Amino acid sequence: TRFLILFLLSIVSLIIFVLDNPLYYYLGSPFSGLLFGFYYLMVFSVFYVPFSLIAFIKSLLHLTRFQTNYSILLAINSFFATLLAFLNLLFLQGALEFLPNSSMYLIFILLAASGIAQTIIGRKENEKIKIIWLSQEKTM
């Protein structure tokens, strides 16, 4: 199971966050963060929910076939990412008024890190599964 789309979404989001950092607004730059805000609302938050759900479902299906340490980590990480994605949507809709505005950046960083970790762990798991399959072919 490859999570390349989730990885690319996270990388592009981090690049936009670095180039147009909303935190520069507090340093006196009045228009900083507008591109990132638009991207975060219209692209990242919208696409991250279905991608994280697909990653979670794929991880669960993979876990039922191959029960390795990496597959368990994939399932836990994708579950965490899915919960964060829904928390992010609730935050953006204003349903979670008790959270400060700066928590949006924390949720974003955690989502991006989760997407990158999912790709790295998924790649390691693919390598491990290939080794298992090759060893099974040799024994047959």
Side-chain angles (χ1 to χ4, degrees), residues 69-84:
N69 291 336
Y70 287 135
S71 62
I72 294 169
L73 281 174
L74 283 171
I76 291 170
N77 188 39
S78 60
F79 177 73
F80 177 68
T82 305
L83 284 179
L84 275 175

Side-chain angles (χ1 to χ4, degrees), residues 87-98:
L87 178 72
N88 184 38
L89 283 182
L90 288 173
F91 177 72
L92 290 176
Q93 289 180 353
L96 299 177
E97 295 174 1
F98 61 90

Side-chain angles (χ1 to χ4, degrees), residues 7-31:
F7 177 72
L8 291 176
L9 182 65
S10 298
I11 294 297
V12 168
S13 302
L14 284 174
I15 290 170
I16 291 175
F17 181 74
V18 169
L19 292 178
D20 189 33
N21 196 331
L23 300 177
Y24 292 149
Y25 176 79
Y26 299 109
L27 298 176
S29 179
F31 297 111

